[in-house]
Amino acid sequence: MSKKISEPICYNCVVKELSAFKHLSQEEAESLFLDKACNLYKKGDIIYYEGHRLRGVYCVYKGKLKLYKTGPEGKQQIIRFAKPGDLIAFRSILSGEAACTTAQALEDVVLCQIPAQVFLNLARNNSNFSMALIKLSCKELGESNKFILDLAQKSVRERLAEALLLLLDYFETDDDGFINVTLTREEIASIVGTATESIIRLLSEFKKDGLVELKGKKIKILDLKKIEKIANI
Amino acid sequence: MSKKISEPICYNCVVKELSAFKHLSQEEAESLFLDKACNLYKKGDIIYYEGHRLRGVYCVYKGKLKLYKTGPEGKQQIIRFAKPGDLIAFRSILSGEAACTTAQALEDVVLCQIPAQVFLNLARNNSNFSMALIKLSCKELGESNKFILDLAQKSVRERLAEALLLLLDYFETDDDGFINVTLTREEIASIVGTATESIIRLLSEFKKDGLVELKGKKIKILDLKKIEKIANI
DNA sequence: CGGCTCCTTGATCAAGGTCAAGACATGTGG
DNA sequence: CCACATGTCTTGACCTTGATCAAGGAGCCG
């Protein structure tokens, strides 16, 4: 399921500057390097399950992941994504609760795991680092609250438009202008919180109206202005 | 709209022990007392508006509040409540963003406002305090994520049952066993994320089935087990 | 008493969920 | 290389949930 690989070196890791770890001193980053464990996960592998107690936080070195909750009928609801430089599982470690989501690799992924105690000690002793973590969790909280409003008051059509904008913003585009992530229709549905069929119908409607181009699972936004208008932000 | 009143004294304030402030030293709590401003707000008063920049965090000394977001059509979505001992606006201050909700008094309320800089300095210099704030925001984040799942996948009936349990848990009961908060049907609807009429119909159905007792705006849960079963947690 | 706000009920309707069936693509092992 | 299996996508038909609209009643306050 996961295997050890040659490890990125924390104190000059390329993704360090993207994450809250950029606030660590050289010395702290060096000690981090000694304590971490680095592993490769294949596409589809589960990193951890909702409800489980976790040993530490993960820093994404390579690849993309989805974090989702599972509903009463087994349906997934994607809560957020992660990409290189992101931390995952920090919520669980910092709050001392069990994981509130399942983390799964969307493609081959390399993760470094930092033991909870090491992470908590850093947070406790380096106030720049702890303030960065506070900012991180508060920002995510703001985003979750925003999404609550959307789910409660917007139509599926509006939410799909908004989801496309979010994906574009977060994953950016490849050389051909397609959003740089590959998701099934079902996965898009579990971002938006609706049925797969609804996503299919709406996407082909967007296509018919010249708002998007579809090429297999790849999506290109052709008319940003109109999508933004539909999203009703 | 708000008026100065005789101030609770932070370093022996009765609500201090309920909040993250319990991690402050005597000295820190004394300095807090010098910097804070304490005000009374009448029922219905707005403390601050979504989108505004805030001057500091508020500590609830007395009374209950609702924090809500407003949707495109002006409909409210309640994100959380606050009661004595709770902090509000901390998310905005800690993340450095504008307020993501509007805060409104559900009854007469007394709030102490702590200036942002004072609050941030405490967070920066007292690691027990900052860790408590981290826990607080991470816990709220977990709750918001939970609610996202509910909105996306549960029926209005399930969500109402769950909302009643949440209200019971948070506000507890008065001497007669009624949930200790007074909300209009419309406000309940804007917790659940549905129309007022749906709440009315479902509440009277719950009443018919002997699950709840209704006395004006007051609600008593008669059959906790069945409500829990409906909530489907 | 008149004017609020809030609650309640009934009728109607649309958004979107569910079900079923088939097309298409992809990968596998023989 | 083919046959098959599996997973994903797509479309159409149908039906349920819950939103909306309308109207009236109840309670409360100046």
Side-chain angles (χ1 to χ4, degrees):
Chain A
M1 168 167 149
S2 73
K3 87 174 197 227
K4 271 234 166 196
I5 61 156
S6 79
E7 315 210 338
I9 303 185
C10 294
Y11 50 90
N12 54 16
C13 174
V14 286
V15 307
K16 186 188 132 194
E17 291 310 311
L18 301 172
S19 74
F21 290 129
K22 72 177 163 208
H23 295 98
L24 298 186
S25 67
Q26 173 78 6
E27 201 181 349
E28 287 169 324
E30 281 171 18
S31 81
L32 202 61
F33 175 59
L34 299 175
D35 289 322
K36 80 170 192 320
C38 187
N39 289 291
L40 170 72
Y41 296 81
K42 305 294 283 180
K43 175 178 173 166
D45 282 354
I46 303 283
I47 320 306
Y48 58 79
Y49 288 91
E50 181 178 355
H52 283 200
R53 295 268 157 194
L54 304 181
R55 300 262 178 77
V57 305
Y58 298 85
C59 181
V60 183
Y61 179 69
K62 179 170 162 288
K64 307 185 180 86
L65 305 105
K66 61 175 174 178
L67 309 196
Y68 59 84
K69 295 178 83 74
T70 304
E73 265 102 87
K75 234 171 65 181
Q76 298 179 5
Q77 175 64 39
I78 292 179
I79 299 295
R80 69 173 181 111
F81 294 96
K83 66 180 179 187
D86 285 343
L87 293 179
I88 64 176
F90 72 92
R91 197 211 65 82
S92 165
I93 298 301
L94 290 170
S95 70
E97 299 171 328
C100 83
T101 55
T102 297
Q104 186 171 19
L106 285 173
E107 46 193 63
D108 290 0
V109 152
V110 178
L111 302 178
C112 297
Q113 188 180 33
I114 296 104
Q117 266 320 310
V118 174
F119 186 75
L120 288 168
N121 283 340
L122 287 172
R124 188 166 282 283
N125 296 322
N126 179 332
S127 66
N128 286 328
F129 183 58
S130 69
M131 290 308 278
L133 292 177
I134 286 182
K135 269 202 185 181
L136 187 61
S137 63
C138 285
K139 222 167 148 246
E140 268 197 36
L141 180 55
E143 283 160 18
S144 286
N145 288 343
K146 170 90 182 57
F147 194 51
I148 287 173
L149 180 70
D150 288 348
L151 278 169
Q153 302 196 8
K154 285 189 178 178
S155 67
V156 170
R157 184 185 164 81
E158 292 171 294
R159 268 144 51 204
L160 173 58
E162 202 169 351
L164 293 178
L165 294 175
L166 178 145
L167 292 174
L168 175 66
D169 183 60
Y170 187 70
F171 291 111
E172 301 174 309
T173 54
D174 63 19
D175 296 339
D176 299 328
F178 288 88
I179 295 174
N180 212 347
V181 68
T182 302
L183 298 171
T184 64
R185 303 294 193 246
E186 190 178 357
E187 283 168 329
I188 298 176
S190 62
I191 307 170
V192 174
T194 187
T196 308
E197 294 93 325
S198 298
I199 293 298
I200 289 167
R201 280 182 246 269
L202 283 169
L203 274 182
S204 63
E205 189 190 316
F206 283 3
K207 179 182 173 182
K208 183 174 60 81
D209 297 345
L211 306 180
V212 301
E213 182 185 336
L214 304 175
K215 194 163 134 193
K217 294 199 174 57
K218 287 294 191 176
I219 300 174
K220 187 195 312 202
I221 292 183
L222 297 176
D223 193 334
L224 190 62
K225 282 265 174 291
K226 279 203 190 129
I227 297 272
E228 281 170 349
K229 195 167 167 199
I230 292 172
N232 193 10
I233 314 189
Chain B
M1 168 167 151
S2 72
K3 84 173 199 227
K4 271 234 165 197
I5 60 155
S6 80
E7 315 208 337
I9 302 185
C10 294
Y11 49 89
N12 54 17
C13 175
V14 286
V15 307
K16 185 187 133 195
E17 291 310 311
L18 300 173
S19 74
F21 290 129
K22 72 177 162 210
H23 295 99
L24 298 186
S25 67
Q26 174 78 4
E27 200 180 349
E28 286 168 325
E30 280 172 18
S31 81
L32 201 62
F33 176 59
L34 299 176
D35 289 321
K36 81 172 192 317
C38 187
N39 288 291
L40 171 72
Y41 296 81
K42 305 293 283 181
K43 175 178 174 166
D45 281 355
I46 304 283
I47 320 306
Y48 58 79
Y49 288 92
E50 181 178 356
H52 283 201
R53 294 268 157 195
L54 305 182
R55 300 263 178 77
V57 305
Y58 297 85
C59 181
V60 182
Y61 179 69
K62 179 171 162 287
K64 307 186 181 87
L65 305 103
K66 61 174 173 178
L67 309 196
Y68 59 86
K69 294 177 84 74
T70 304
E73 265 103 86
K75 232 170 68 179
Q76 298 179 5
Q77 175 64 39
I78 292 179
I79 300 294
R80 69 173 182 111
F81 294 95
K83 66 181 179 187
D86 285 343
L87 293 179
I88 63 176
F90 72 91
R91 196 210 64 84
S92 167
I93 298 301
L94 290 171
S95 70
E97 299 170 328
C100 82
T101 56
T102 298
Q104 186 171 19
L106 285 173
E107 45 193 63
D108 290 0
V109 152
V110 178
L111 301 178
C112 298
Q113 188 181 33
I114 295 105
Q117 266 320 310
V118 173
F119 186 74
L120 288 169
N121 283 340
L122 286 173
R124 188 166 282 283
N125 296 322
N126 180 332
S127 67
N128 286 329
F129 183 57
S130 69
M131 292 306 280
L133 292 176
I134 286 181
K135 270 203 182 179
L136 186 61
S137 62
C138 285
K139 221 166 149 246
E140 267 196 37
L141 180 54
E143 282 160 19
S144 287
N145 288 343
K146 171 92 182 55
F147 195 50
I148 287 173
L149 180 69
D150 288 348
L151 278 170
Q153 302 196 8
K154 285 189 177 178
S155 67
V156 170
R157 186 185 162 82
E158 291 171 294
R159 269 143 52 205
L160 174 58
E162 203 169 350
L164 292 178
L165 294 175
L166 179 145
L167 292 173
L168 176 66
D169 184 59
Y170 186 69
F171 291 112
E172 300 175 309
T173 53
D174 63 19
D175 297 339
D176 299 327
F178 288 89
I179 295 174
N180 213 348
V181 67
T182 301
L183 299 170
T184 65
R185 302 295 193 243
E186 190 179 357
E187 282 168 328
I188 298 175
S190 62
I191 306 170
V192 174
T194 188
T196 309
E197 293 92 326
S198 299
I199 292 299
I200 289 168
R201 280 182 246 269
L202 282 169
L203 274 181
S204 63
E205 189 190 314
F206 283 3
K207 179 180 171 182
K208 183 173 60 80
D209 296 345
L211 306 179
V212 301
E213 182 183 337
L214 304 175
K215 194 162 134 194
K217 294 199 175 57
K218 287 294 191 176
I219 300 175
K220 186 191 319 196
I221 291 184
L222 297 176
D223 193 333
L224 190 62
K225 282 263 174 292
K226 279 203 190 130
I227 297 272
E228 280 169 349
K229 196 166 167 202
I230 292 173
N232 193 11
I233 316 189

